[in-house]
């Protein structure tokens, strides 16, 4: 009640789709500044129900001096054959950073919650959902460190009306957001991604494969020997070249299998051309990543040189060969144009991390086939433990960012990028 007079009686007209359907009467005692909840019955129909409500009179007469705010509208989507889903959302020590949204199959938000007020508190919400449809539940953290701070982890679990768990938070330290797919029928939505860092040189035996599970229920175990043995770690180090299958399975028995290949070299090249405008002034610049030892460059099968810049070139096609001291080789064919610059990469992506080895702070420049402005990454320990999450930012055609692992001891770490459905891994070395 925002008026000076105590409200004791309110007559309300309820409408549906613009047509009056009922007159409601509220009786009570509502002093200035007080508020109350008025519960009333209403018939709803399958689909959208557009309700409106108007105040007819207050205290037996209409004397409201501000009648413009006496009308409200809202929409209820009724699902007569719907089934209940129950959300149990537990906050961490920074509940004001946490929010969530529930999306339907058309990516429409049908429910949302947060930010929250109380630490380490479980909030319960229920939804009426289509039993034949699937949904996406996304949790957000405004600070970007997930629901994991000061040793306290937040969580969420979603159950169907039979009490069966159908979705939960896989990783509390998820960064800025984490999404889980769910269906009331509890069908398996478990998926596995695999990222590979190839051998640093032929015969090194230091390749690694990292698995990343999503939509899992309960703990996940992993195998790369056909399911003969499973392990809780998603990290498989010291691999040699070959073709493998990684199997992941969760506590509900859902599983996914992803084939992957380990190569004997990790050399990548980015070849950039500058146009030959008006004659033999074209240029070719070569950047490398994943090299071992000295790198040599050759143009059109000529002598290998240490200089990665080729200048005074006429327009035309050129073959660029690059090799490192481990014998790893790449060959790219590029065109020096008369008008435009071009870029060519040996893979669908190119990642450069420097200085690497380094003392804890690294610059990242990368090219990925992605339109996202902010590209997420996850930093892993050599044992496959998730250490931190973050994003790099797209500037023109390249992603750039600074990554710090200063808080962690010297050793080998892995950073995984996720452009689309791929998981791309590169090795980072920290020294004293």
């Amino acid at each position: 009640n925002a008026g000076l007079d105590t409200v004791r009686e309110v007559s309300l007209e309820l409408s549906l789709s613009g047509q009056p359907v009922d007159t409601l009467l509220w009786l009570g005692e509502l002093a200035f500044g007080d508020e109350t909840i008025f519960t009333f019955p209403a018939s709803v129909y399958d689909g959208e129900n557009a309700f409106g409500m108007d105040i007819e009179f207050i205290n037996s007469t209409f004397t409201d001096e501000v009648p413009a705010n006496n009308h409200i509208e809202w929409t209820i989507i009724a699902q007569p054959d719907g089934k209940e889903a129950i959300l149990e959302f537990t906050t961490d020590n920074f509940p004001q950073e946490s929010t969530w949204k529930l999306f339907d199959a058309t990516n429409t938000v049908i429910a949302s919650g947060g930010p929250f007020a109380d630490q380490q508190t479980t909030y319960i919400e229920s939804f009426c959902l289509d039993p034949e449809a699937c949904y996406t539940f996304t949790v957000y953290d405004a600070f970007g460190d997930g629901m994991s701070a000061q040793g306290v982890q937040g969580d969420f679990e979603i159950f169907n009306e039979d009490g069966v768990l159908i979705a939960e938070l896989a990783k509390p330290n998820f960064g800025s957001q984490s999404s889980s797919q769910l269906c009331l029928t509890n069908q398996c939505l478990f998926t596995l991604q695999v990222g590979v860092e190839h051998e640093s040189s032929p015969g090194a035996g230091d390749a690694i494969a990292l698995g990343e599970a999503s939509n899992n229920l309960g703990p996940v175990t992993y195998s790369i020997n056909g399911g003969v043995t499973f392990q809780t770690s998603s990290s498989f180090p010291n691999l040699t070249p070959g073709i493998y299958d990684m199997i992941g399975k969760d506590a509900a028995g859902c599983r996914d299998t992803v084939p992957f290949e380990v190569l004997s070299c990790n050399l990548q090249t980015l070849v950039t051309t500058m146009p030959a405008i008006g004659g033999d002034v074209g240029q070719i610049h070569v950047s490398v990543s994943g090299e071992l030892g000295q790198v040599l460059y050759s143009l059109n099968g000529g002598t290998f040189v240490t200089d990665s810049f080729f200048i005074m070139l006429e327009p035309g096609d050129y073959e660029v060969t690059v090799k490192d001291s481990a014998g790893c080789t790449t060959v790219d064919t590029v065109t020096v144009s008369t008008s435009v610059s071009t870029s060519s990469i040996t893979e669908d992506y190119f990642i450069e991390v420097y200085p690497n080895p380094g003392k804890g702070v690294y610059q990242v420049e990368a090219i990925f086939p992605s339109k996202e402005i902010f590209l997420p990454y996850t930093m892993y320990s050599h044992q496959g433990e998730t250490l931190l999450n973050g994003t790099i930012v797209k500037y023109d055609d390249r992603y750039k960012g600074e990554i710090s692992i200063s808080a962690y001891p010297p050793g080998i770490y892995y950073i995984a990028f996720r452009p689309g459905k791929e998981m791309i891994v590169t090795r980072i070395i920290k020294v004293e």
Side-chain angles (χ1 to χ4, degrees), residues 166-278:
I166 56 176
E168 66 177 350
L169 182 61
K171 294 190 306 180
N173 59 337
F174 55 80
S176 298
Q177 69 180 68
S178 176
S179 295
S180 299
Q181 279 70 51
L182 61 108
C183 305
L184 293 189
T185 53
N186 196 29
Q187 66 189 70
C188 285
L189 298 173
F190 175 79
T191 57
L192 179 67
Q193 284 183 305
V194 178
V196 179
E197 171 75 343
H198 303 292
E199 278 191 322
S200 59
S201 62
D206 59 355
I208 189 171
L210 294 170
E212 180 73 23
S214 59
N215 301 321
N216 55 292
L217 298 176
V220 179
T221 54
Y222 305 85
S223 172
I224 60 168
N225 60 6
V228 176
T229 57
F230 283 84
Q231 63 183 45
T232 57
S233 173
S234 65
S235 170
F236 293 89
N238 305 319
L239 298 180
T240 56
I243 297 176
Y244 300 80
D245 287 319
M246 184 181 294
I247 303 172
K249 65 176 183 179
D250 67 7
C254 298
R255 63 168 59 197
D256 191 16
T257 302
V258 178
F260 64 93
E261 184 177 9
V262 172
L263 303 178
S264 60
C265 286
N266 205 27
L267 180 64
Q268 288 184 299
T269 59
L270 168 63
V271 184
T272 303
T273 70
M274 301 297 291
I277 301 175

Side-chain angles (χ1 to χ4, degrees), residues 133-147:
C134 292
Y135 301 84
T136 300
F137 184 87
T138 301
V139 57
Y140 303 89
D141 183 81
F143 188 73
D145 62 350
M147 296 170 61

